[in-house]
Amino acid sequence: MNEKIPFRKLFFMFWAFFKIGAFTLGGGFAMIPLMKEEFVDKLKWLKEDEFLDIIAVSQCAPGAVAINSSIYIGYRLYGLLGAAIAVLGTVLPSFLIILAVALLYAKIRSMPAVQRAFRGVYPALVVLVMSAAINLWKAAFKNYVDMGIAAICLAALFIFDVHPVFTVLAAGISGVLFDLRKEHGEEGDIG
């Protein structure tokens, strides 16, 4: 981007990523519903299909999906500087919190209240990941072919223990082949 980006816009973007980073427990996948809510539903910075594309690309790249998504979204909004600020906003809360926990955890880990708090957080983390899956599900399955690809990927991952990278690559190839079929008039759209 060649134009000068106002500090206020960059700070607003930083703050949006910082809030998500600060209030998401459970890793990158737990951030997905919060990112969608913030950047698609609330701020309207992205369209839903564009957000899904970002998540798909972020999952295919090495590294954490939250960091990859932040880079992509920040770059999409404000170029290279935006990517750097988005990543800083995403990781700074975790860095500060983990640093504080590392300093204190040895002293507090045996406290019953801390153990109960962690036990209470685990189910909430599962629900956050499920929420991300449900949101992605609604937008990702447009036809029977999409559902078939998902079923095959699920079997590959859980039954045949295929590495996720190979599963994603095979799904991408299947998507390309399906698009070629659509160009020739054969569709599998859902009702």
Side-chain angles (χ1 to χ4, degrees), residues 1 10 13 17 20 31 35 39 45-46 50-51 53-55 57-59 61-91:
M1 303 198 123
L10 291 171
M13 184 188 68
F17 279 101
I20 291 169
M31 281 187 175
M35 287 178 147
F39 303 132
W45 287 350
L46 303 166
E50 184 179 18
F51 179 74
D53 290 344
I54 289 169
I55 298 303
V57 168
S58 297
Q59 288 177 327
V65 69
I67 304 299
N68 295 346
S69 299
S70 299
I71 292 168
Y72 197 122
I73 293 168
Y75 185 80
R76 156 75 173 66
L77 295 173
Y78 299 116
L80 197 54
L81 180 61
I85 288 174
V87 168
L88 183 63
T90 301
V91 301

Side-chain angles (χ1 to χ4, degrees), residues 156-171:
L157 289 169
F158 290 104
I159 296 172
F160 301 108
D161 201 27
V162 174
H163 193 280
V165 169
F166 297 121
T167 305
V168 171
L169 288 173

Side-chain angles (χ1 to χ4, degrees), residues 84-107:
I85 288 174
V87 168
L88 183 63
T90 301
V91 301
L92 190 59
S94 298
F95 173 78
L96 297 174
I97 291 167
I98 292 300
L99 182 60
V101 167
L103 295 170
L104 296 173
Y105 186 68
K107 296 175 185 168

